[in-house]
Amino acid sequence: MEVSKKIKETVIEGEKKDYGDLIDKAKDEGLSATDIVDIMAEAMDIVGDKFDKGDFYLPQVITSANAFNGILEIIEPDLREDISGSGKGKVVIGVVEGDVHKIGKNLVSTLLDAAGFSVVDLGDDVKSDEFINTAKEEEADIIGLSTMMTTTMSEVEEVVDRVEEESLNEQTKTIIGGGPCSQEYANEIGADGYAKNAQKAVKEVSEILEV
Amino acid sequence: MKNEMTHLKRSKVALKGDKPDKVPVFSRDLTFPLDVVDYTTPEVCKGGAGGTFDAEKSAEAVIKSQEEIGHDVVLGSVWDLGLASDVYGGETKFPEYGIPRVDEAAFSDNLERVEDVDPINFREDGRYPGVLESYEIVSEEIGDEVGIAVNIQGPVTEACLMRGTEKLLMDMMERPDLAKELIDLATTNIKNFIEECFEAGANLTTFLAASNDGTEVLTPQFMREFSLPKIKEIVEFSHDLGYPVVFHPHGVFTEPEHHELVDKSISTGIDGFQFAEDNDYEFAAEKWGEDVCILGGVSIKDAILPGPVSKIENEVKKRLKDCAKDGGYIAMAACSLHRDTPVENVRAMTEATHKYGEYPINL
């Protein structure tokens, strides 16, 4: 099997192994780090589609994301040399204060990374101040806000409000996601975008930034 | 509005699949009662002697919430998700007016430790003695009239709280035997807790709050392998004590590919199924309404949180029309209720159910 197909299959199947040999072979065949990321991005697209259609469930997506991150870790030094500039745009992402459900946010983070965005992942239980200050420092194009709990939806709204109050909204757009969120809710609180799952989050960010 | 039955009787009849005088309401208000009495979260959840659970304040919150809202079924105590993890060395955060959350799961760094720990002694360990005392007070004060349910996590859900969801999912794939040991421990604790709560005065049903036991987190195969056998064990245990079981896994089970999982859940012997957000409740009642009591259906994200009252009334009416006409329906939100949920909206759900849900229902 040609090495690009093998990389793609490794990510889709979420194979856990020493990825060093695979990457060495890829390099021997002349693939650059960015080529490998492109192949993995295609694989994660397929994984996202399968999740969207109900063919894949959360554990399968997590293993794929783990394989993606495992390979990424190996090629990261080469990748830094390959990529100049900030890619498609910068996204500051996190789970809002009071909520520690981070699986969905982690997947969005991985897929955005795979799609060529620069991601600043703040983790979970993130205070609104931290979202705003980081967005300012990093000159973020997008703030991604995640919550899985109805009871922390007000935190999402608070960050969206503060983006507007502090006049960040010319530079920085907001996108929300997680179980209780909806397009209706995004419209109601004035968020710029909503995504039902990780796959759609990448699409939404790309559309907002027109990249 | 006629009150031909007590809250308790009404709820028992509906759980059996029959028609009571009117459709009962179970608000499954975990931390919501704290807003009714305006206590802080740490004040109740760890404000008792020695940093334990304050039984008296918890019971007061539950009772006043029932008086204020008028629902038919309460839990015997305010409830948070860190209780078991704390016993095994985990850490729970208690925001002043927020919802307690597991900050450090007990087995997050070392699952092997599960082989060396004992089941929880609920009369002695952690904050549980206060929880059980709250059940006793609630039972003594309102237990003759009002249904008191035992709320406890499902087996995989409880194991996730003790290990961390992502880690447990990886364990299920990479070292399933060890994952099963943790789920076995969770199951033993769940059964023992159920027994203690009924002894402490719970009088209606076991409610398995099983968000991570469903397809929102598990594959169908994982649900069949790791969760449902344990659900069956818990159901048989609760039935032996004389009480029914309601199962509430998260996932869209009205999608065709998941129907067999509902059928398999029902074959464990459960008596009620609370469908979560985004399910087709009319379909659920039509397909499974003769086999189990259907619970839930009032959307938290679209109705109870944002309101207004008229929207909640409309949603309640739709559910009553779709699910309640032949009996065997208990109105509740699509999931549990916590702090910061508008009290007037929860009251609106209860009042609308009792107003429009009087049998025979003509909607």
Side-chain angles (χ1 to χ4, degrees):
Chain A
M1 186 189 293
E2 68 179 271
V3 73
S4 57
K5 272 190 186 166
K6 185 65 195 158
I7 293 170
K8 200 168 173 180
E9 189 184 281
T10 298
V11 173
I12 292 171
E13 298 299 324
E15 288 175 35
K16 192 175 180 182
K17 58 183 179 187
D18 179 3
Y19 305 113
D21 287 348
L22 184 63
I23 300 309
D24 286 345
K25 273 184 200 160
K27 285 179 183 171
D28 289 346
E29 289 195 13
L31 292 178
S32 68
T34 43
D35 291 335
I36 295 169
V37 169
D38 286 344
I39 293 164
M40 294 203 297
E42 269 181 51
M44 288 307 287
D45 265 352
I46 293 168
V47 171
D49 276 342
K50 283 177 179 283
F51 183 63
D52 214 17
K53 288 176 188 157
D55 296 335
F56 266 21
Y57 290 82
L58 192 56
Q60 292 146 320
V61 182
I62 290 172
T63 54
S64 290
N66 287 348
F68 174 93
N69 286 324
I71 294 174
L72 195 64
E73 206 171 293
I74 294 172
I75 62 172
E76 205 168 7
D78 297 329
L79 199 60
R80 285 211 188 106
E81 285 173 22
D82 280 8
I83 298 175
S84 59
S86 60
K88 290 181 177 175
K90 187 170 275 187
V91 183
V92 169
I93 190 169
V95 180
V96 297
E97 186 177 12
D99 192 346
V100 291
H101 295 89
K102 58 192 173 196
I103 295 175
K105 182 271 302 169
N106 288 349
L107 293 173
V108 174
S109 195
T110 300
L111 291 191
L112 285 170
D113 209 354
F117 293 93
S118 170
V119 181
V120 180
D121 190 336
L122 299 176
D124 55 64
D125 196 14
V126 181
K127 291 183 190 309
S128 59
D129 276 348
E130 199 177 344
F131 278 112
I132 298 299
N133 294 339
T134 310
K136 284 178 184 169
E137 283 161 19
E138 298 284 345
E139 296 181 347
D141 299 293
I142 297 276
I143 296 178
L145 301 160
S146 169
T147 186
M148 281 299 287
M149 294 160 59
T150 51
T151 45
T152 43
M153 289 166 82
S154 56
E155 296 295 326
V156 174
E157 189 173 357
E158 186 182 326
V159 179
V160 172
D161 285 348
R162 286 196 55 190
V163 167
E164 192 179 347
E165 280 161 22
E166 305 202 16
S167 304
L168 283 174
N169 50 342
E170 282 302 309
Q171 154 78 22
T172 308
K173 306 297 177 195
T174 51
I175 173 170
I176 68 170
C181 298
S182 62
Q183 185 61 56
E184 193 184 12
Y185 181 66
N187 296 344
E188 191 185 312
I189 65 171
D192 298 292
Y194 157 74
K196 192 174 177 178
N197 56 38
Q199 178 75 350
K200 287 183 177 156
V202 176
K203 207 172 161 196
E204 187 76 4
V205 168
S206 303
E207 281 176 13
I208 291 172
L209 298 182
E210 297 176 353
V211 290
Chain B
M1 284 182 274
K2 292 178 289 181
N3 276 320
E4 293 168 1
M5 293 180 178
T6 64
H7 298 288
L8 175 59
K9 175 78 176 163
R10 182 176 300 140
S11 309
K12 280 185 174 175
V13 170
L15 260 176
K16 279 186 182 159
D18 297 327
K19 289 181 192 171
D21 58 342
K22 60 181 89 165
V23 172
V25 179
F26 177 15
S27 54
R28 200 161 75 87
D29 40 355
L30 306 188
T31 56
F32 171 81
L34 297 176
D35 279 349
V36 176
V37 287
D38 198 26
Y39 286 145
T40 69
T41 300
E43 188 177 1
V44 174
C45 293
K46 62 161 190 169
T52 189
F53 195 89
D54 192 315
E56 288 184 8
K57 285 184 176 171
S58 162
E60 181 194 349
V62 169
I63 292 164
K64 286 209 169 143
S65 175
Q66 198 279 330
E67 285 169 4
E68 179 81 17
I69 304 296
H71 44 279
D72 300 279
V73 185
V74 300
L75 309 178
S77 78
V78 169
W79 186 250
D80 74 71
L81 299 178
L83 285 149
S85 182
D86 282 1
V87 170
Y88 294 111
E91 278 183 35
T92 301
K93 268 191 183 174
F94 300 91
E96 204 66 358
Y97 284 93
I99 301 156
R101 55 186 180 272
V102 176
D103 195 38
E104 184 70 39
F107 296 91
S108 65
D109 291 333
N110 183 1
L111 182 58
E112 285 78 7
R113 199 164 63 84
V114 71
E115 293 167 344
D116 303 321
V117 299
D118 294 321
I120 296 171
N121 179 338
F122 291 96
R123 286 287 171 186
E124 290 183 2
D125 293 342
R127 296 179 286 125
Y128 282 108
V131 170
L132 292 176
E133 199 186 328
S134 177
Y135 269 80
E136 285 164 359
I137 299 169
V138 170
S139 167
E140 200 173 306
E141 296 285 326
I142 60 174
D144 289 343
E145 294 280 322
V146 177
I148 303 171
V150 177
N151 182 80
I152 183 68
Q153 285 76 244
V156 172
T157 307
E158 186 73 304
C160 284
L161 287 165
M162 294 197 289
R163 170 73 172 146
T165 302
E166 196 166 337
K167 284 183 178 170
L168 187 66
L169 289 175
M170 294 308 293
D171 297 330
M172 287 173 173
M173 285 180 270
E174 292 170 0
R175 40 184 184 169
D177 290 345
L178 208 50
K180 280 180 182 168
E181 273 202 50
L182 185 64
I183 296 166
D184 282 348
L185 175 68
T187 305
T188 301
N189 285 335
I190 289 163
K191 289 193 294 186
N192 291 345
F193 181 72
I194 288 168
E195 186 167 21
E196 290 284 3
C197 285
F198 283 118
E199 277 181 19
N203 59 16
L204 181 67
T205 186
T206 295
F207 186 95
L208 289 175
S211 55
N212 289 5
D213 285 77
T215 55
E216 192 172 277
V217 167
L218 302 181
T219 64
Q221 174 53 29
F222 279 2
M223 188 173 170
R224 285 189 289 266
E225 182 182 347
F226 291 94
S227 176
L228 291 179
K230 296 292 148 189
I231 298 294
K232 188 169 192 293
E233 201 178 313
I234 295 165
V235 168
E236 285 169 358
F237 184 82
S238 188
H239 283 178
D240 284 346
L241 295 173
Y243 295 99
V245 176
V246 176
F247 184 37
H248 172 53
H250 282 195
V252 184
F253 289 97
T254 48
E255 292 291 324
E257 65 270 26
H258 294 151
H259 291 177
E260 57 107 5
L261 292 170
V262 180
D263 294 335
K264 283 200 162 61
S265 299
I266 291 170
S267 72
T268 65
I270 57 165
D271 305 273
F273 196 113
Q274 185 199 6
F275 287 87
E277 296 269 5
D278 299 325
N279 277 276
D280 180 340
Y281 298 93
E282 184 180 7
F283 177 86
E286 175 89 24
K287 186 162 177 66
W288 297 294
E290 283 189 14
D291 302 320
V292 283
C293 175
I294 305 288
L295 299 92
V298 184
S299 172
I300 296 177
K301 61 178 182 174
D302 297 330
I304 292 180
L305 276 181
V309 164
S310 58
K311 190 172 186 181
I312 296 164
E313 278 191 1
N314 287 337
E315 180 124 341
V316 166
K317 281 199 236 176
K318 177 148 178 43
R319 296 295 166 248
L320 293 173
K321 185 168 176 252
D322 292 343
C323 307
K325 284 192 169 172
D326 298 323
Y329 174 67
I330 294 180
M332 62 194 298
C335 198
S336 54
L337 297 180
H338 280 282
R339 302 202 80 143
D340 229 10
T341 305
V343 174
E344 63 274 18
N345 291 354
V346 182
R347 191 188 302 114
M349 175 178 75
T350 305
E351 288 179 354
T353 303
H354 286 166
K355 180 177 174 185
Y356 300 107
E358 211 168 281
Y359 284 98
I361 293 170
N362 294 306
L363 287 167

